[in-house]
Short mmCIF file of all heavy atoms in Angstrom, two decimals:
data_model
loop_
_atom_site.label_atom_id
_atom_site.label_comp_id
_atom_site.label_asym_id
_atom_site.label_seq_id
_atom_site.Cartn_x
_atom_site.Cartn_y
_atom_site.Cartn_z
N ALA A 37 -24.30 -1.34 3.48
CA ALA A 37 -23.85 -0.41 4.52
C ALA A 37 -24.52 -0.72 5.85
O ALA A 37 -23.85 -0.79 6.90
CB ALA A 37 -24.13 1.03 4.09
N ILE A 42 -24.01 -3.25 11.56
CA ILE A 42 -24.29 -4.28 12.57
C ILE A 42 -23.08 -5.17 12.80
O ILE A 42 -22.65 -5.41 13.93
CB ILE A 42 -25.52 -5.11 12.16
CG1 ILE A 42 -26.77 -4.24 12.16
CG2 ILE A 42 -25.69 -6.33 13.06
CD1 ILE A 42 -27.96 -4.84 11.43
N GLY A 84 -30.63 -6.64 -12.34
CA GLY A 84 -31.16 -6.08 -11.10
C GLY A 84 -30.25 -6.27 -9.89
O GLY A 84 -30.41 -5.58 -8.89
N THR A 91 -13.96 -1.02 0.36
CA THR A 91 -12.58 -0.75 0.76
C THR A 91 -12.59 0.14 2.00
O THR A 91 -13.64 0.58 2.45
CB THR A 91 -11.77 -0.09 -0.39
OG1 THR A 91 -10.38 -0.09 -0.04
CG2 THR A 91 -12.24 1.32 -0.66
N THR A 136 -10.56 -10.07 -3.73
CA THR A 136 -10.15 -9.37 -2.51
C THR A 136 -8.96 -8.45 -2.73
O THR A 136 -8.46 -7.86 -1.79
CB THR A 136 -9.78 -10.38 -1.41
OG1 THR A 136 -8.71 -11.20 -1.88
CG2 THR A 136 -10.96 -11.23 -1.00
#
Side-chain angles (χ1 to χ4, degrees):
I42 294 165
T91 191
T136 59

